[in-house]
Structure formats: structure tokens, C-alpha cells
């Protein structure tokens, strides 16, 4: 059957021609909707980060207040426990309770970069890109491979010294700069390990402070504390 040909003098059917204007409008609306979703998500993260920072600060304040109460009650209870003309009781109480007063604020300070990273994800992404650029810009690995590829030179003192310098430079490069990438530094394994250790020590310090507080109160009520 012969194929029908369109009359060149006949105007094109509007329904058969793709409407570029409608496609552009739809694409613009889709992009605007994605931007609105991204803005809402960013605002939600910002509110979450501020709320976490406030919650952590409140918990740190309560924990430090508990340690301070234990310190005051313990010193008042054992201030007459002298030995060699020294207030041994008060000194022991201070040594046991002082970490519970100071460590909660150390934990708060160590957690601050994490909450700021949650609050400002765009800044975190920018710092991550900057970090990747820094890592890729180095030539230390290729230089090390070039030296190691020549066994006759690799064990020479000069080559060993150069390899040591290259390893040190690469280690410095793969570690985020605390000045330029402070939010990214908070997610490094060493930082997280130190943070976890500080949290554990702080928890044990609070347990010790609570024990000192309970023992001091029981000793005062039972009349076991020395009097002046």
C-alpha cells in the first residue's frame, strides 16, 4: 500500500508537534519542587542540629551540677577528716568529684562539631569536596612507587629518607585540616575514638560522684563523719 505523503502546503498539526514551552515549564516546576524539598530538609537538619546542641549542653550542665553538689556535700561532710594536719577527707572528695564537674563540658565541646555538621550539611559537603581535591592533588604515592620500583635504590639512605618524607607528607594530606575542614575532622576515626573514650570516662566520673554523694549523706545521717 503506498505511503501517504503530507501536503507541504498544509500547516502542521499542533497536537503532533512537541510543545517545548510546556516541557520547559514542567522542568522548571520540577526543579523548583526539588529546591523546596531540599530547603525544607536543610531547615529540618538545622533545627535538629540546634536542638541536639541545646540538649547536649543541658545534659552537660545537669551532669556538672550533680558533680558540683557531690563535691560540696562531700567536702562539707568530710572537712574534719584530717591526717598529718592535712584535710585528707576534703582532698579525696575533690579528687573524686572534680572530674564529674569538668568532663561534661569537655564532652559538650567534643560533640559540638558533630552537631554543627548536622546543622550545616552544605558546608560539610563543601569541606568534603575540598578534602578530596587535596588528597588527589598529591603525588606522594606515585613518587613512592617510583622509588620502590627500583630495588637497587630503595635501600639507600637517601632513598629511605625521601620515602619517610613522602609517607609523612601523604599522612598529613589525608588528614583533614582542622582550620579549613573542621566539620569533616569530627568524623575521623581518631576523633570519634577519643570522643567515645571521653564519654565513657565522664560516665564513670558521674558514677563516682553519685557514690560520694550517697556515702556522704548516709555518713552525715548516721553520725559517722568526724567532728571538729
Amino acid at each position: 500500500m503506498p505511503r501517504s505523503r503530507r501536503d507541504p502546503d498544509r500547516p502542521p498539526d499542533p497536537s503532533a508537534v512537541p510543545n517545548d514551552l510546556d516541557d520547559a515549564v514542567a522542568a522548571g516546576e520540577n526543579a523548583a519542587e526539588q529546591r523546596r524539598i531540599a530547603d525544607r530538609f536543610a531547615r529540618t537538619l538545622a533545627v535538629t542540629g540546634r536542638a541536639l546542641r541545646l540538649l547536649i549542653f543541658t545534659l552537660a550542665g545537669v551532669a556538672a551540677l550533680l558533680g558540683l553538689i557531690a563535691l560540696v556535700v562531700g567536702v562539707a561532710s568530710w572537712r574534719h577528716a584530717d591526717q598529718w594536719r592535712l584535710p585528707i577527707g576534703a582532698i579525696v572528695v575533690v579528687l573524686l568529684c572534680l572530674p564529674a564537674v569538668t568532663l561534661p563540658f569537655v564532652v559538650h565541646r567534643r560533640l559540638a562539631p558533630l552537631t554543627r555538621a548536622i546543622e550545616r550539611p552544605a558546608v560539610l559537603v563543601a569541606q568534603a569536596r575540598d578534602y578530596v581535591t587535596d588528597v588527589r592533588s598529591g603525588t606522594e604515592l606515585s613518587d613512592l612507587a617510583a622509588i620502590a620500583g627500583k630495588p637497587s635504590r630503595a635501600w639507600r639512605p637517601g632513598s629511605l629518607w625521601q620515602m619517610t618524607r613522602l609517607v609523612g607528607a601523604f599522612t598529613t594530606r589525608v588528614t583533614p585540616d582542622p582550620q579549613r575542614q573542621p566539620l569533616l575532622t569530627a568524623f575521623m576515626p581518631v576523633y570519634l575514638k577519643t570522643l567515645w573514650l571521653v564519654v565513657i570516662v565522664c560516665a564513670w566520673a558521674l558514677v563516682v560522684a553519685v557514690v560520694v554523694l550517697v556515702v556522704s549523706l548516709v555518713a552525715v545521717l548516721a553520725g559517722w563523719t568526724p567532728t571538729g
Side-chain angles (χ1 to χ4, degrees):
M1 183 175 181
R3 182 181 299 177
S4 60
R5 296 183 178 179
R6 184 177 64 86
D7 187 0
D9 297 331
R10 181 181 177 184
D13 186 4
S15 61
V17 179
N19 195 332
D20 295 337
L21 181 60
D22 291 343
D23 293 342
V25 171
E29 291 178 351
N30 187 23
E33 180 64 23
Q34 290 180 356
R35 284 195 298 269
R36 285 195 293 269
I37 294 175
D39 291 341
R40 286 199 297 267
F41 184 69
R43 287 195 296 268
T44 302
L45 285 179
V47 173
T48 303
R50 286 193 294 268
L52 281 176
R53 189 165 64 249
L54 180 61
L55 176 62
I56 293 170
F57 180 77
T58 302
L59 292 177
V62 171
L65 181 62
L66 178 60
L68 183 61
I69 293 173
L71 177 63
V72 173
V73 172
V75 170
S77 302
W78 304 99
R79 65 185 184 278
H80 296 299
D82 299 336
Q83 186 70 26
W84 302 298
R85 297 182 179 179
L86 293 175
I88 297 298
I91 293 175
V92 171
V93 169
V94 170
L95 293 177
L96 292 177
C97 296
L98 191 59
V101 179
T102 58
L103 285 179
F105 293 104
V106 176
V107 173
H108 171 262
R109 183 179 179 183
R110 302 287 296 186
L111 284 172
L114 296 177
T115 58
R116 284 198 299 267
I118 296 174
E119 185 178 350
R120 295 180 288 179
V123 179
L124 178 63
V125 172
Q127 292 181 6
R129 291 174 179 171
D130 188 25
Y131 167 73
V132 172
T133 302
D134 289 345
V135 173
R136 289 181 176 178
S137 63
T139 61
E140 291 85 359
L141 291 180
S142 59
D143 295 339
L144 282 170
I147 296 175
K150 299 179 180 179
S152 59
R153 292 182 49 197
W155 298 104
R156 294 179 181 178
S159 299
L160 291 175
W161 172 248
Q162 186 178 2
M163 292 174 66
T164 303
R165 292 181 58 190
L166 289 173
V167 170
F170 181 74
T171 303
T172 303
R173 188 181 298 278
V174 298
T175 302
D177 188 356
Q179 302 298 328
R180 295 169 46 234
Q181 299 141 357
L183 301 184
L184 192 63
T185 305
F187 291 92
M188 292 296 103
V190 175
Y191 188 94
L192 294 176
K193 183 179 179 180
T194 305
L195 174 62
W196 181 242
L197 179 62
V198 173
V199 170
I200 293 176
V201 174
C202 180
W204 278 108
L206 289 175
V207 171
V208 172
V210 170
V211 171
V212 170
L213 177 61
V214 172
V215 169
S216 299
L217 291 176
V218 170
V220 169
L221 294 176
W224 297 338
T225 57
T227 58

